Amino acid sequence: MLFNANPNKGGNINIGLMGGTFDPIHMGHLVTAEEARQQFDLDYVVFVPAGIPPHKDEKSISLPEHRYLMTSLAVMSNPSFFVSRIEIDQNEPTYTIDTVRHFSCGKEPGPEVFFITGADAILEIFTWKDYEELLRLCTFIAVSRPGYSLDQFYESLDRSCPDMRHRVHLLEIPALAVSSTFIRERVTLGKTIKYLTPEPVEQYIKKHGLYRSSAW
Ligand code: NAP
C-alpha cells in the first residue's frame, strides 16, 4: 500500500493505523478514526483487521475474510480511509510490531505512524512483542469512553520505558458506548442493530448469518 507524500508538510505524511479485531466494525470505530484523523492531522487512516491475534482463541472470532469485507464496506465512503490485508493474509499469529515496521517503511524520514486502538488493549502493551521498539517507532492513540484514566499506565510506562509518555495519547470518544460485543449479543438475541453499524455491514451480517448463535 503506497501513499502520496503530502506537499503541505514538506513531503512528510502522517498515517494512522486503526488496529482491531473488527468483529464487527461499528459506528464507534468510524467516529474514532475520523476524530483521530482530525486531532492528529492524519493524512490517511488504514484499518488493519487483526489476523490471528496472539492473545485470542481464533475459534471464537469470525473468519478474517468476513471481518475484512465488513471493514471494507464500512469505510468505502470516506476517501481518507483504507483497509489493509497485511494481517489477515498471514496464517500465523500477527504482531503489531511487524505491521508498524511495514508502514514505517524503514525510511528516514519515513511516514509518521500513529497506532489507534482501544485503551484496554494498550494497557497490555508491556506483554506485546518488542514493545520498546514499538514505542520508538510509533505514537499510540488509546481510545476510550469519557472518564478513563491512564495515570496508572503512565506510572508503569515511566518504570519500563522512561521518557515515553509523549508516545501514548488518550482519545475520549462518547460514541464508544457501542462495542462489537454489544452488537454480537444483539444479533444473537434477534434484536435490531440498525444505526449501530453502517447499513452495508448490517446487510452483510444478515446475509452470512453471522453471530446468530452465541458460539462466538
Ligand atoms: P480487544 O481486546 O478485542 O479490544 C479491547 C477493547 O478495545 C474493546 O473494548 C474493543 O472494543 C476496543 N477496541 C479495539 N480496537 C479498537 C479500535 N481500533 N478503536 C476503538 N476501540 C477499539 O482488542 P483487539 O482488537 O484484540 O486488539 C487491539 C489491537 O491491538 C489489534 O490491532 C491487535 O492486533 C493489537 N494487539 C497486538 C498485540 C501484539 O502485538 N502482541 C497484542 C494484543 C493486541 P470493540 O470490541 O468494540 O472493538
Side-chain angles (χ1 to χ4, degrees):
M1 196 174 264
L2 283 177
F3 295 108
N4 293 328
N6 187 336
N8 299 327
K9 291 184 194 156
N12 288 339
I13 55 169
N14 292 342
I15 299 180
L17 299 180
M18 181 77 173
T21 309
F22 303 128
D23 192 20
I25 188 162
H26 53 70
M27 291 306 193
H29 295 131
L30 295 167
V31 170
T32 296
E34 180 63 7
E35 186 63 24
R37 185 190 67 73
Q38 192 168 53
Q39 278 200 30
F40 292 85
D41 195 20
L42 307 177
D43 296 290
Y44 308 98
V45 178
V46 183
F47 287 67
V48 186
I52 305 172
H55 57 301
K56 281 194 179 170
D57 170 10
E58 69 178 292
K59 291 194 198 82
S60 64
I61 308 173
S62 301
L63 291 175
E65 203 60 32
H66 281 318
R67 294 183 287 108
Y68 170 78
L69 288 171
M70 287 190 284
T71 307
S72 301
L73 288 169
V75 307
M76 64 189 176
S77 62
N78 189 325
S80 302
F81 288 0
F82 297 84
V83 188
S84 168
R85 298 186 63 96
I86 187 168
E87 294 197 1
I88 63 151
D89 279 345
Q90 293 181 42
N91 292 322
E92 48 195 33
T94 51
Y95 297 95
T96 300
I97 183 70
D98 299 320
T99 303
V100 168
R101 278 185 193 132
H102 172 85
F103 281 94
S104 313
C105 307
K107 280 195 226 145
E108 284 288 341
E112 177 99 28
V113 175
F114 295 74
F115 191 80
I116 313 159
T117 198
D120 287 345
I122 288 180
L123 293 187
E124 307 288 322
I125 197 171
F126 305 110
T127 66
W128 294 16
K129 187 180 164 202
D130 297 341
Y131 71 88
E132 286 163 320
E133 183 185 348
L134 253 182
L135 285 162
R136 282 195 303 274
L137 280 183
C138 72
T139 298
F140 281 85
I141 303 177
V143 187
S144 76
R145 295 176 194 102
Y148 201 94
S149 167
L150 281 183
D151 290 353
Q152 273 193 339
F153 170 81
Y154 281 134
E155 283 171 24
S156 309
L157 188 61
D158 288 344
R159 282 193 295 275
S160 306
C161 309
D163 304 323
M164 281 294 173
R165 277 190 183 215
H166 65 288
R167 285 303 210 180
V168 183
H169 298 266
L170 183 64
L171 180 64
E172 294 186 333
I173 303 286
L176 269 187
V178 179
S179 72
S180 300
T181 307
F182 179 66
I183 292 183
R184 294 195 301 270
E185 281 170 356
R186 289 185 67 88
V187 175
T188 306
L189 294 171
K191 292 185 175 176
T192 175
I193 56 167
K194 205 176 244 324
Y195 309 125
L196 297 175
T197 189
E199 190 161 349
V201 177
E202 185 194 343
Q203 296 304 333
Y204 188 98
I205 291 170
K206 211 176 273 177
K207 181 170 171 200
H208 294 273
L210 302 184
Y211 319 124
R212 272 201 207 143
S213 86
S214 56
W216 44 266

